[in-house]
Amino acid sequence: MESIIVPALPVKNLNGSGPVHPALAGMTGILMCAAGLPVCLTRAPKPILHPPPVNKSEIKPVPGISGICRKTKKKHLKKVKSPEDVVRRYMQKVKNPPDEDCTICMERLVSSSGYEGVMSLRGVKPELVGKLSKCSHMYHLLCLVAMYNNGNKDGSLQCPTCKAIYGEKTGTQPPGKMEYHVIPHSLPGYPEVKTIRIVYDIPAGLQGVEHPNQGKKFTARGFPRHCYLPDNEKGRKILKLLIVAWDRRLIFTIGTSNTTGETDTVVWNEIHHKTEFGSNLTGHGYPDPNYLENVLAELSAQGVMEDCIKD
C-alpha cells in the first residue's frame, strides 16, 4: 500500500493579532489532527513599534518648522462674554421659524424651548429661535445657551447638527510636552523620505475645573507616546496642524480608556495618530494610504485647518 504524503498546513495568528481568533485556530488544529493531517502551528509576527536606535547626532529639526518642542501649562481661563452674548454673536433671530424639531431639546421650534423652567435668561423668551450664521441650522436660543454651558465655555460654539465650529475651539488637555524631529529611517510605504517622530509626554496630576471630576487625581498611562509621520510636504503640513491642535489642547483629554476601561485617565481625543513604526498589525501603523487624508479630516472637524497655520 502506497503512503500518501500530505504537506503540513500552518495554523497562524495564535496570538489574536490577525483576523483568525486564537480559539478558532486551536479548534482547527484539533480537527486536522483528528483527521490525521499534520499541523504546523505558527505565531503571527509581532508589531514593530519603534525604529532602530538613533544617535542624538542623527536627530534633526523638521524642515520649515521652527523649534522642536511645545509645552502646555495649566489652563488660563480666557475672559469671554456671557453665554448669552457668545450665542448671540453667532446667530441671527428668526421671526417665523418652521414647524420643525429643535434637535437639542426635541420640542418644536414654533413652541417654547424644552429648557423653559429649567433655566432662564433675563430678556430671553423661551420661544425665541435663532439661525446659526454659517450653516443656517435653527435652534431655540435658550437651548444653545444650555448646550454652551455644558461645554468648555471657551467662547466657541459647535453646531450639534453639522459640527460647524464658530470661533476657536479649545479642549481640556492636561499640561504636558510635545517634541518633534526627523529621524533617519523610512516608514513602510514611504521609502524615499525620512520620518518625523512626535513624542508626547503628559504626567499624572489633578483634574481642573474643565475636567470630569475636579480635584480628583488622573492617571497618564503609556507616556511618553511616540508617533510617526512621513517627512514629506503633507507630513510636515499635518505636523504644523498638530502643533496648533496641541496649543489648543485638543490632542488629549481626560476620560475613560477604550482599551482598559480605566476612568479618570488621559486618552486620545478623536485625532488618530500612528504609534506603530515598522508595521501595521495593530491598525496604528504603516503602510496606510488613507491615513494622511483621514487625519486632515479629523483635524478639520476640530476646527484646525490650513488657515490656522502661522508662517
Side-chain angles (χ1 to χ4, degrees):
M1 182 177 179
E2 294 184 2
S3 61
I4 300 175
I5 300 175
V6 180
L9 301 176
V11 180
K12 298 183 178 181
N13 301 316
L14 294 184
N15 62 0
S17 62
V20 180
H21 192 278
L24 177 59
M27 288 188 291
T28 302
I30 292 171
L31 292 172
M32 290 172 65
C33 287
L37 296 174
V39 178
C40 175
L41 298 178
T42 63
R43 289 189 177 273
K46 293 183 179 181
I48 303 171
L49 299 178
H50 302 292
V54 178
N55 295 326
K56 286 186 178 181
S57 60
E58 296 178 302
I59 296 175
K60 305 296 182 183
V62 181
I65 298 180
S66 60
I68 59 171
C69 180
R70 308 287 287 195
K71 293 182 179 180
T72 56
K73 299 180 180 179
K74 291 184 178 180
K75 180 178 181 180
H76 296 286
L77 295 174
K78 295 186 294 185
K79 291 183 178 180
V80 297
K81 296 182 178 181
S82 68
E84 180 189 347
D85 289 336
V86 171
V87 170
R88 286 184 181 276
R89 183 191 310 166
Y90 303 123
M91 69 180 298
Q92 302 165 351
K93 185 177 179 181
V94 177
K95 292 183 179 179
N96 299 303
D99 187 15
E100 300 173 355
D101 284 343
C102 168
T103 55
I104 298 176
C105 71
M106 301 311 296
E107 298 291 342
R108 307 298 283 182
L109 290 172
V110 293
S111 62
S112 296
S113 165
Y115 284 91
E116 182 183 17
V118 178
M119 64 178 296
S120 62
L121 295 173
R122 182 179 299 177
V124 177
K125 297 179 180 179
E127 63 270 18
L128 181 62
V129 172
K131 175 175 69 175
L132 290 173
S133 57
K134 288 193 294 187
C135 64
S136 298
H137 287 116
M138 299 183 198
Y139 308 95
H140 296 110
L141 187 143
L142 204 59
C143 293
L144 284 173
V145 171
M147 184 187 74
Y148 178 83
N149 280 331
N150 287 329
N152 205 25
K153 296 188 281 291
D154 58 358
S156 72
L157 194 67
Q158 188 165 16
C159 175
T161 300
C162 68
K163 308 304 179 185
I165 295 174
Y166 296 79
E168 182 180 298
K169 181 181 178 180
T170 61
T172 60
Q173 178 179 287
K177 181 171 64 174
M178 172 189 187
E179 297 180 348
Y180 37 88
H181 47 251
V182 174
I183 57 175
H185 299 292
S186 299
L187 293 164
Y190 298 94
E192 71 285 357
V193 297
K194 296 178 181 178
T195 297
I196 297 170
R197 178 167 61 186
I198 306 168
V199 182
Y200 295 111
D201 198 6
I202 295 179
L206 293 177
Q207 298 183 51
V209 295
E210 71 273 29
H211 295 136
N213 296 296
Q214 182 182 358
K216 186 178 180 180
K217 291 182 179 180
F218 67 85
T219 58
R221 311 292 187 191
F223 288 95
R225 298 187 186 182
H226 292 214
C227 309
Y228 304 96
L229 290 167
D231 183 28
N232 57 18
E233 183 178 356
K234 185 170 284 187
R236 294 170 195 167
K237 174 184 174 181
I238 291 171
L239 175 61
K240 291 178 181 179
L241 294 172
L242 288 173
I243 292 171
V244 174
W246 172 266
D247 289 343
R248 294 183 183 178
R249 306 174 72 220
L250 294 167
I251 302 289
F252 296 95
T253 188
I254 294 176
T256 301
S257 170
N258 289 330
T259 305
T260 65
E262 182 180 11
T263 59
D264 299 301
T265 191
V266 179
V267 295
W268 295 105
N269 186 37
E270 299 181 358
I271 301 174
H272 286 84
H273 286 63
K274 292 295 189 181
T275 55
E276 188 178 341
F277 174 80
S279 56
N280 194 19
L281 299 179
T282 64
H284 303 302
Y286 296 91
D288 184 346
N290 299 318
Y291 170 67
L292 300 184
E293 288 299 326
N294 288 344
V295 75
L296 284 172
E298 290 171 347
L299 285 160
S300 178
Q302 298 287 346
V304 181
M305 292 168 281
E306 193 167 357
D307 58 3
C308 301
I309 299 174
K310 298 178 182 179
D311 296 326

